[in-house]
Amino acid sequence: MNFHPSLCLLTSLVLFCLAGEEFGDHIWEWVILCLPCLTILPPFPRCTVDNRVTRVAWLNRSTILYAGNDKWCLDPRVVLLTNTQTQYSIEIQNVDVYDEGPYTCSVQTDNHPKTSRVHLIVQVPPKIIEISSDVSINEGSNISLTCIATGRPEPAVTWRHISPKAVGFVSEDEYLEIMGITREQAGDYECSASNDVAAPVVRRVKVTVNYPPFISDAKGTGVPVGQKGTLQCGASAVPAAQFQWFKDDKKLVEDQKGMKVENRPFFSTLTFFNVSEHDYGNYTCVASNKLGHTNASIMLFEINEPTSSTLFQEEKTTAMTPWKGPGAVSEVNNGTSRRAGCIWLLPLLVLQLLLKF
């Protein structure tokens, strides 16, 4: 038995029986064809015939394709190319996987029949014929993805999560099962099918995980009277959250006098163009989508705006205050000590005056 390297074909396979001295019984050779391919390469099986040959035929398994010049099969793709004293060949056009199997060149002589055989192996690159559609699912639910591929040899199918945090394959099977899916598992999932006949084929499925809003950015802001102030509320959610602002259970509308509400997919801002005493207080940001809602309280509070005289006084005080290094005694403590000493000396002076009189 001889094994030939992979052979590729454009549209047809040609099988030869050639004249020579090496004709023998039950000689097996192998031809591997790749579909679709570019060319067909030698060598081919060779049959030896001589002047004692009375009949010659090509068979596929037990089916006679041609016997001499007579066509026995009904397949229009099988045609006779050559029938001479030195060569007997047929051609199979548009080869497909169903043509795989043994082919026999049978020669009848005066003594006994002799045969030479070739086994045809047809290889097919992988092809994904069925894959799950893009899916949208709520967080905590179970999901199943399917990827069916064909090819010869049968391709290996793997699933991979396209994510910076994902490592390696998440499944080495046609089916991918995810139980209790989380928002971190959202994204693209890639199915790859390979069988070493050609480059792997890949397809992707997008998985969207829906979850209720979660407010991640909400903190108070201090603004002086008469200045511009902005409150911001950020929330993550799928689908994107819708925002609303309230003060004292009263909903604030966009472009309300003196303020502006601006909503974007993941955050909302409430802007005051000229803050007044009336504007200070507690505001509530509400974020909601079809899966739920959440809220957060945000305070707008007053701070004093520094004046020029205040800044000058602070600078003067800083300049007049001497620097005290380690071990220095506080001026306040020294003054207190002197006053305490004076209080103790006063009775002694009174006593001395009384003694003189």
Side-chain angles (χ1 to χ4, degrees):
M1 177 186 296
N2 296 322
F3 187 85
H4 295 297
S6 297
L7 304 180
C8 296
L9 115 142
L10 177 60
T11 56
S12 62
L13 167 69
V14 181
L15 301 177
F16 294 87
C17 276
L18 301 176
E21 299 298 331
E22 302 106 355
F23 189 91
D25 291 337
H26 307 295
I27 299 175
W28 282 91
E29 298 197 43
W30 300 73
V31 176
I32 301 176
L33 301 177
C34 313
L35 301 177
C37 300
L38 300 177
T39 185
I40 186 166
L41 304 174
F44 298 105
R46 301 188 179 201
C47 298
T48 300
V49 295
D50 54 27
N51 54 11
R52 295 175 300 169
V53 172
T54 57
R55 293 180 182 179
V56 63
W58 271 108
L59 297 84
N60 178 14
R61 297 180 177 88
S62 59
T63 302
I64 299 176
L65 303 178
Y66 266 91
N69 293 323
D70 298 327
K71 183 175 181 178
W72 286 50
C73 70
L74 300 177
D75 192 339
R77 299 177 302 125
V78 181
V79 296
L80 178 66
L81 290 183
T82 307
N83 183 10
T84 66
Q85 292 183 348
T86 59
Q87 179 175 303
Y88 183 57
S89 61
I90 61 172
E91 178 183 56
I92 304 174
Q93 301 171 345
N94 301 317
V95 175
D96 61 30
V97 294
Y98 301 104
D99 296 316
E100 183 171 294
Y103 291 81
T104 304
C105 175
S106 178
V107 176
Q108 180 68 43
T109 65
D110 294 336
N111 298 326
H112 61 274
K114 297 182 179 180
T115 60
S116 182
R117 298 178 182 175
V118 58
H119 192 95
L120 173 65
I121 298 176
V122 180
Q123 293 186 335
V124 182
K127 180 180 180 181
I128 296 176
I129 60 174
E130 180 183 342
I131 191 169
S132 298
S133 302
D134 293 345
V135 61
S136 178
I137 191 170
N138 293 343
E139 188 174 36
S141 301
N142 303 331
I143 185 175
S144 177
L145 302 181
T146 302
C147 181
I148 306 298
T150 60
R152 295 173 68 94
E154 183 178 354
V157 178
T158 57
W159 281 98
R160 186 165 64 97
H161 186 197
I162 308 300
S163 168
K165 297 181 181 179
V167 179
F169 297 106
V170 294
S171 174
E172 297 186 2
D173 193 3
E174 296 174 339
Y175 305 99
L176 171 63
E177 301 280 347
I178 303 177
M179 310 300 291
I181 194 168
T182 65
R183 64 192 70 180
E184 290 78 15
Q185 293 174 301
D188 289 336
Y189 285 80
E190 182 181 85
C191 171
S192 174
S194 61
N195 64 358
D196 296 329
V197 174
V201 291
V202 296
R203 297 269 299 276
R204 289 188 178 185
V205 175
K206 182 173 182 164
V207 176
T208 301
V209 179
N210 304 312
Y211 57 93
F214 171 76
I215 294 180
S216 56
D217 180 18
K219 61 181 180 179
T221 302
V223 182
V225 173
Q227 298 298 313
K228 180 179 179 180
T230 300
L231 299 179
Q232 180 168 309
C233 177
S236 60
V238 177
Q242 301 294 321
F243 292 92
Q244 292 178 315
W245 289 90
F246 294 85
K247 183 183 182 184
D248 300 330
D249 297 330
K250 181 181 179 181
K251 181 180 177 181
L252 305 180
V253 296
E254 295 186 18
D255 299 327
Q256 189 170 332
K257 184 178 180 180
M259 65 180 65
K260 180 180 180 181
V261 176
E262 185 175 4
N263 293 327
R264 295 189 180 180
F266 298 103
F267 70 92
S268 176
T269 57
L270 174 60
T271 303
F272 303 86
F273 297 103
N274 186 7
V275 175
S276 66
E277 293 287 349
H278 175 73
D279 294 324
Y280 294 122
N282 188 48
Y283 291 81
T284 301
C285 169
V286 178
S288 60
N289 66 7
K290 65 181 183 180
L291 298 180
H293 66 272
T294 186
N295 63 78
S297 295
I298 306 175
M299 182 70 71
L300 180 68
F301 55 90
E302 181 181 5
I303 60 173
N304 294 325
E305 183 178 14
T307 62
S308 58
S309 59
T310 304
L311 293 174
F312 176 76
Q313 183 63 32
E314 290 178 355
E315 292 177 359
K316 183 178 179 181
T317 303
T318 303
M320 294 180 64
T321 302
W323 179 83
K324 296 179 176 63
V329 179
S330 171
E331 292 277 348
V332 177
N333 292 338
N334 289 343
T336 303
S337 299
R338 285 194 292 270
R339 286 193 296 272
C342 293
I343 293 173
W344 286 101
L345 289 175
L346 183 59
L348 295 175
L349 292 175
V350 173
L351 180 61
Q352 287 180 359
L353 291 172
L354 291 175
L355 292 174
K356 287 182 180 181
F357 297 103

